Amino acid sequence: MTNKLFGLALLSVLSPAAFAQGYVGAVAALTRVDVSCLPGVSCDNNGFGFKLFAGTKLEKPLLKLGGGGVDVVEVAAMRFAKGRYNGRTEITVNGGSGPVVANVPASVTLGVNGLVASLGASFPLGQRLTLTPKLGVAYMTATGEYVVDGARMGSVTKSSVQPYLGMSADYLLGQGIKLTAGLDWTRFRLDGTENEDAMLLGLGAAVSF
């Protein structure tokens, strides 16, 4: 199902016969990876990221919804700011009289990226402003890098398919140029079966062709 949705999105973007208007754009964003902060750990879940996207607005809606309709197919690449977590851990080292337990600094750096395929329903609010809620799937990749007492201990990477929700507000400036503000939400998984939230709130521009 996931492969079919990604295939539909790419086909719609690349096939001239499938759309009335194509577009590409970029968004600079505030991002958050919502990882729980354990006692004694300094956590930084927020930062700056970006989203690149391309899509098509179909000539005929796939489904009519009141004053709008499902008529947008979009693919996007999202990069979230790295999460940084600093604390301490205990390790066993060799002392002069045998093994000694030492309390040393430890840190984890978390990188999260995603590829999204979605369908959107556009709802015009006047001549220039359009709201577009989006629903789709995201292929998310999370990588945790571990450092203990200044020594890199390795990394763990986990990929997963997650639900995606988005909302964009587009304001047409003229000649196919739009200002766009958007909110994107999905999830990711790094360890075991527990999912964490990832959010992106951004402002950017799109150009139609």
PDB file of all heavy atoms in Angstrom, residues 2 5-6 78 113-117 136-141 160-164 185-187:
ATOM      1  N   THR A   2       1.934   1.212   0.817  1.00  0.00           N
ATOM      2  CA  THR A   2       2.826   2.370   0.884  1.00  0.00           C
ATOM      3  C   THR A   2       3.504   2.608  -0.456  1.00  0.00           C
ATOM      4  O   THR A   2       3.580   3.741  -0.942  1.00  0.00           O
ATOM      5  CB  THR A   2       3.888   2.142   1.975  1.00  0.00           C
ATOM      6  OG1 THR A   2       3.237   1.967   3.212  1.00  0.00           O
ATOM      7  CG2 THR A   2       4.821   3.337   2.059  1.00  0.00           C
ATOM      8  N   LEU A   5       1.149   4.215  -2.944  1.00  0.00           N
ATOM      9  CA  LEU A   5       0.893   5.634  -2.725  1.00  0.00           C
ATOM     10  C   LEU A   5       2.063   6.475  -3.176  1.00  0.00           C
ATOM     11  O   LEU A   5       1.889   7.504  -3.822  1.00  0.00           O
ATOM     12  CB  LEU A   5       0.590   5.890  -1.243  1.00  0.00           C
ATOM     13  CG  LEU A   5       0.244   7.335  -0.871  1.00  0.00           C
ATOM     14  CD1 LEU A   5      -0.889   7.862  -1.737  1.00  0.00           C
ATOM     15  CD2 LEU A   5      -0.139   7.431   0.605  1.00  0.00           C
ATOM     16  N   PHE A   6       3.297   6.036  -2.863  1.00  0.00           N
ATOM     17  CA  PHE A   6       4.466   6.757  -3.342  1.00  0.00           C
ATOM     18  C   PHE A   6       4.522   6.748  -4.865  1.00  0.00           C
ATOM     19  O   PHE A   6       4.855   7.743  -5.500  1.00  0.00           O
ATOM     20  CB  PHE A   6       5.752   6.136  -2.773  1.00  0.00           C
ATOM     21  CG  PHE A   6       6.147   6.679  -1.436  1.00  0.00           C
ATOM     22  CD1 PHE A   6       5.904   5.966  -0.273  1.00  0.00           C
ATOM     23  CD2 PHE A   6       6.771   7.912  -1.327  1.00  0.00           C
ATOM     24  CE1 PHE A   6       6.265   6.463   0.971  1.00  0.00           C
ATOM     25  CE2 PHE A   6       7.133   8.418  -0.097  1.00  0.00           C
ATOM     26  CZ  PHE A   6       6.884   7.693   1.055  1.00  0.00           C
ATOM     27  N   MET A  78      11.682  15.889   4.295  1.00  0.00           N
ATOM     28  CA  MET A  78      11.754  16.709   5.501  1.00  0.00           C
ATOM     29  C   MET A  78      13.026  16.374   6.285  1.00  0.00           C
ATOM     30  O   MET A  78      13.393  15.201   6.407  1.00  0.00           O
ATOM     31  CB  MET A  78      10.539  16.461   6.400  1.00  0.00           C
ATOM     32  CG  MET A  78       9.206  16.745   5.740  1.00  0.00           C
ATOM     33  SD  MET A  78       7.811  16.621   6.905  1.00  0.00           S
ATOM     34  CE  MET A  78       7.923  14.866   7.333  1.00  0.00           C
ATOM     35  N   ASN A 113      14.967  12.180   9.590  1.00  0.00           N
ATOM     36  CA  ASN A 113      14.621  12.627   8.245  1.00  0.00           C
ATOM     37  C   ASN A 113      13.427  11.825   7.750  1.00  0.00           C
ATOM     38  O   ASN A 113      13.168  10.717   8.234  1.00  0.00           O
ATOM     39  CB  ASN A 113      15.799  12.427   7.280  1.00  0.00           C
ATOM     40  CG  ASN A 113      17.058  13.116   7.747  1.00  0.00           C
ATOM     41  OD1 ASN A 113      17.085  14.324   7.893  1.00  0.00           O
ATOM     42  ND2 ASN A 113      18.105  12.337   8.001  1.00  0.00           N
ATOM     43  N   GLY A 114      12.718  12.374   6.759  1.00  0.00           N
ATOM     44  CA  GLY A 114      11.562  11.656   6.255  1.00  0.00           C
ATOM     45  C   GLY A 114      11.237  11.968   4.811  1.00  0.00           C
ATOM     46  O   GLY A 114      11.529  13.064   4.309  1.00  0.00           O
ATOM     47  N   LEU A 115      10.653  10.989   4.129  1.00  0.00           N
ATOM     48  CA  LEU A 115      10.078  11.159   2.794  1.00  0.00           C
ATOM     49  C   LEU A 115       8.575  10.942   2.912  1.00  0.00           C
ATOM     50  O   LEU A 115       8.138   9.961   3.519  1.00  0.00           O
ATOM     51  CB  LEU A 115      10.679  10.160   1.803  1.00  0.00           C
ATOM     52  CG  LEU A 115      12.178  10.282   1.539  1.00  0.00           C
ATOM     53  CD1 LEU A 115      12.643   9.129   0.639  1.00  0.00           C
ATOM     54  CD2 LEU A 115      12.488  11.615   0.872  1.00  0.00           C
ATOM     55  N   VAL A 116       7.806  11.836   2.328  1.00  0.00           N
ATOM     56  CA  VAL A 116       6.354  11.834   2.509  1.00  0.00           C
ATOM     57  C   VAL A 116       5.649  11.770   1.162  1.00  0.00           C
ATOM     58  O   VAL A 116       6.061  12.425   0.187  1.00  0.00           O
ATOM     59  CB  VAL A 116       5.898  13.108   3.259  1.00  0.00           C
ATOM     60  CG1 VAL A 116       4.381  13.178   3.331  1.00  0.00           C
ATOM     61  CG2 VAL A 116       6.497  13.138   4.661  1.00  0.00           C
ATOM     62  N   ALA A 117       4.582  10.997   1.099  1.00  0.00           N
ATOM     63  CA  ALA A 117       3.647  11.017  -0.021  1.00  0.00           C
ATOM     64  C   ALA A 117       2.259  11.267   0.553  1.00  0.00           C
ATOM     65  O   ALA A 117       1.837  10.580   1.489  1.00  0.00           O
ATOM     66  CB  ALA A 117       3.677   9.705  -0.788  1.00  0.00           C
ATOM     67  N   GLY A 136      -1.317  11.292   4.561  1.00  0.00           N
ATOM     68  CA  GLY A 136      -0.471  10.400   3.782  1.00  0.00           C
ATOM     69  C   GLY A 136       0.367   9.497   4.651  1.00  0.00           C
ATOM     70  O   GLY A 136       0.033   9.216   5.801  1.00  0.00           O
ATOM     71  N   VAL A 137       1.467   9.037   4.064  1.00  0.00           N
ATOM     72  CA  VAL A 137       2.405   8.167   4.766  1.00  0.00           C
ATOM     73  C   VAL A 137       3.801   8.768   4.670  1.00  0.00           C
ATOM     74  O   VAL A 137       4.118   9.494   3.720  1.00  0.00           O
ATOM     75  CB  VAL A 137       2.413   6.732   4.196  1.00  0.00           C
ATOM     76  CG1 VAL A 137       1.086   6.042   4.443  1.00  0.00           C
ATOM     77  CG2 VAL A 137       2.756   6.745   2.713  1.00  0.00           C
ATOM     78  N   ALA A 138       4.612   8.469   5.668  1.00  0.00           N
ATOM     79  CA  ALA A 138       5.989   8.967   5.705  1.00  0.00           C
ATOM     80  C   ALA A 138       6.935   7.791   5.928  1.00  0.00           C
ATOM     81  O   ALA A 138       6.677   6.918   6.770  1.00  0.00           O
ATOM     82  CB  ALA A 138       6.153   9.996   6.820  1.00  0.00           C
ATOM     83  N   TYR A 139       8.019   7.779   5.173  1.00  0.00           N
ATOM     84  CA  TYR A 139       9.089   6.811   5.394  1.00  0.00           C
ATOM     85  C   TYR A 139      10.157   7.525   6.206  1.00  0.00           C
ATOM     86  O   TYR A 139      10.882   8.379   5.698  1.00  0.00           O
ATOM     87  CB  TYR A 139       9.651   6.315   4.063  1.00  0.00           C
ATOM     88  CG  TYR A 139      10.734   5.272   4.220  1.00  0.00           C
ATOM     89  CD1 TYR A 139      10.409   3.965   4.538  1.00  0.00           C
ATOM     90  CD2 TYR A 139      12.071   5.609   4.054  1.00  0.00           C
ATOM     91  CE1 TYR A 139      11.392   2.993   4.681  1.00  0.00           C
ATOM     92  CE2 TYR A 139      13.064   4.657   4.201  1.00  0.00           C
ATOM     93  CZ  TYR A 139      12.718   3.351   4.510  1.00  0.00           C
ATOM     94  OH  TYR A 139      13.717   2.413   4.663  1.00  0.00           O
ATOM     95  N   MET A 140      10.226   7.209   7.496  1.00  0.00           N
ATOM     96  CA  MET A 140      11.062   7.944   8.435  1.00  0.00           C
ATOM     97  C   MET A 140      12.329   7.163   8.776  1.00  0.00           C
ATOM     98  O   MET A 140      12.291   5.939   8.960  1.00  0.00           O
ATOM     99  CB  MET A 140      10.286   8.236   9.718  1.00  0.00           C
ATOM    100  CG  MET A 140       9.017   9.037   9.505  1.00  0.00           C
ATOM    101  SD  MET A 140       9.333  10.691   8.829  1.00  0.00           S
ATOM    102  CE  MET A 140      10.245  11.432  10.188  1.00  0.00           C
ATOM    103  N   THR A 141      13.434   7.899   8.868  1.00  0.00           N
ATOM    104  CA  THR A 141      14.715   7.318   9.261  1.00  0.00           C
ATOM    105  C   THR A 141      15.266   8.109  10.438  1.00  0.00           C
ATOM    106  O   THR A 141      15.374   9.337  10.374  1.00  0.00           O
ATOM    107  CB  THR A 141      15.725   7.345   8.104  1.00  0.00           C
ATOM    108  OG1 THR A 141      15.191   6.603   7.005  1.00  0.00           O
ATOM    109  CG2 THR A 141      17.045   6.717   8.525  1.00  0.00           C
ATOM    110  N   SER A 160      11.161   3.319   9.482  1.00  0.00           N
ATOM    111  CA  SER A 160       9.791   2.838   9.709  1.00  0.00           C
ATOM    112  C   SER A 160       8.822   3.635   8.849  1.00  0.00           C
ATOM    113  O   SER A 160       9.105   4.770   8.454  1.00  0.00           O
ATOM    114  CB  SER A 160       9.411   2.974  11.184  1.00  0.00           C
ATOM    115  OG  SER A 160       9.493   4.322  11.613  1.00  0.00           O
ATOM    116  N   VAL A 161       7.702   3.039   8.548  1.00  0.00           N
ATOM    117  CA  VAL A 161       6.622   3.701   7.821  1.00  0.00           C
ATOM    118  C   VAL A 161       5.620   4.219   8.847  1.00  0.00           C
ATOM    119  O   VAL A 161       5.164   3.464   9.710  1.00  0.00           O
ATOM    120  CB  VAL A 161       5.954   2.746   6.826  1.00  0.00           C
ATOM    121  CG1 VAL A 161       4.765   3.432   6.147  1.00  0.00           C
ATOM    122  CG2 VAL A 161       6.957   2.269   5.791  1.00  0.00           C
ATOM    123  N   GLN A 162       5.290   5.500   8.737  1.00  0.00           N
ATOM    124  CA  GLN A 162       4.473   6.166   9.747  1.00  0.00           C
ATOM    125  C   GLN A 162       3.328   6.946   9.097  1.00  0.00           C
ATOM    126  O   GLN A 162       3.408   7.308   7.924  1.00  0.00           O
ATOM    127  CB  GLN A 162       5.340   7.133  10.567  1.00  0.00           C
ATOM    128  CG  GLN A 162       6.496   6.485  11.284  1.00  0.00           C
ATOM    129  CD  GLN A 162       6.052   5.675  12.493  1.00  0.00           C
ATOM    130  OE1 GLN A 162       4.900   5.727  12.920  1.00  0.00           O
ATOM    131  NE2 GLN A 162       6.972   4.920  13.073  1.00  0.00           N
ATOM    132  N   PRO A 163       2.279   7.245   9.855  1.00  0.00           N
ATOM    133  CA  PRO A 163       1.222   8.126   9.339  1.00  0.00           C
ATOM    134  C   PRO A 163       1.720   9.560   9.254  1.00  0.00           C
ATOM    135  O   PRO A 163       2.645   9.957   9.979  1.00  0.00           O
ATOM    136  CB  PRO A 163       0.110   7.997  10.385  1.00  0.00           C
ATOM    137  CG  PRO A 163       0.822   7.623  11.639  1.00  0.00           C
ATOM    138  CD  PRO A 163       1.977   6.761  11.232  1.00  0.00           C
ATOM    139  N   TYR A 164       1.114  10.300   8.372  1.00  0.00           N
ATOM    140  CA  TYR A 164       1.485  11.714   8.184  1.00  0.00           C
ATOM    141  C   TYR A 164       0.223  12.567   8.119  1.00  0.00           C
ATOM    142  O   TYR A 164      -0.750  12.206   7.441  1.00  0.00           O
ATOM    143  CB  TYR A 164       2.287  11.888   6.893  1.00  0.00           C
ATOM    144  CG  TYR A 164       2.376  13.322   6.430  1.00  0.00           C
ATOM    145  CD1 TYR A 164       3.308  14.190   6.977  1.00  0.00           C
ATOM    146  CD2 TYR A 164       1.488  13.815   5.466  1.00  0.00           C
ATOM    147  CE1 TYR A 164       3.381  15.514   6.569  1.00  0.00           C
ATOM    148  CE2 TYR A 164       1.549  15.137   5.051  1.00  0.00           C
ATOM    149  CZ  TYR A 164       2.491  15.978   5.613  1.00  0.00           C
ATOM    150  OH  TYR A 164       2.547  17.298   5.214  1.00  0.00           O
ATOM    151  N   TRP A 185       3.088  16.849  10.785  1.00  0.00           N
ATOM    152  CA  TRP A 185       3.248  15.938  11.923  1.00  0.00           C
ATOM    153  C   TRP A 185       3.402  14.515  11.417  1.00  0.00           C
ATOM    154  O   TRP A 185       2.700  14.075  10.489  1.00  0.00           O
ATOM    155  CB  TRP A 185       2.023  15.997  12.840  1.00  0.00           C
ATOM    156  CG  TRP A 185       2.021  14.930  13.901  1.00  0.00           C
ATOM    157  CD1 TRP A 185       2.563  15.006  15.162  1.00  0.00           C
ATOM    158  CD2 TRP A 185       1.473  13.601  13.792  1.00  0.00           C
ATOM    159  NE1 TRP A 185       2.390  13.815  15.842  1.00  0.00           N
ATOM    160  CE2 TRP A 185       1.722  12.935  15.018  1.00  0.00           C
ATOM    161  CE3 TRP A 185       0.816  12.912  12.780  1.00  0.00           C
ATOM    162  CZ2 TRP A 185       1.325  11.628  15.251  1.00  0.00           C
ATOM    163  CZ3 TRP A 185       0.424  11.582  13.014  1.00  0.00           C
ATOM    164  CH2 TRP A 185       0.669  10.975  14.243  1.00  0.00           C
ATOM    165  N   THR A 186       4.347  13.804  12.010  1.00  0.00           N
ATOM    166  CA  THR A 186       4.478  12.378  11.758  1.00  0.00           C
ATOM    167  C   THR A 186       5.141  11.752  12.984  1.00  0.00           C
ATOM    168  O   THR A 186       5.248  12.387  14.035  1.00  0.00           O
ATOM    169  CB  THR A 186       5.276  12.106  10.465  1.00  0.00           C
ATOM    170  OG1 THR A 186       5.283  10.697  10.185  1.00  0.00           O
ATOM    171  CG2 THR A 186       6.697  12.622  10.578  1.00  0.00           C
ATOM    172  N   ARG A 187       5.596  10.526  12.856  1.00  0.00           N
ATOM    173  CA  ARG A 187       6.234   9.837  13.967  1.00  0.00           C
ATOM    174  C   ARG A 187       7.504   9.153  13.463  1.00  0.00           C
ATOM    175  O   ARG A 187       7.721   9.021  12.252  1.00  0.00           O
ATOM    176  CB  ARG A 187       5.296   8.808  14.594  1.00  0.00           C
ATOM    177  CG  ARG A 187       3.898   9.349  14.892  1.00  0.00           C
ATOM    178  CD  ARG A 187       3.165   8.518  15.909  1.00  0.00           C
ATOM    179  NE  ARG A 187       3.623   8.882  17.257  1.00  0.00           N
ATOM    180  CZ  ARG A 187       3.227   8.248  18.365  1.00  0.00           C
ATOM    181  NH1 ARG A 187       2.405   7.225  18.280  1.00  0.00           N
ATOM    182  NH2 ARG A 187       3.657   8.637  19.542  1.00  0.00           N
TER     183      ARG A 187
END
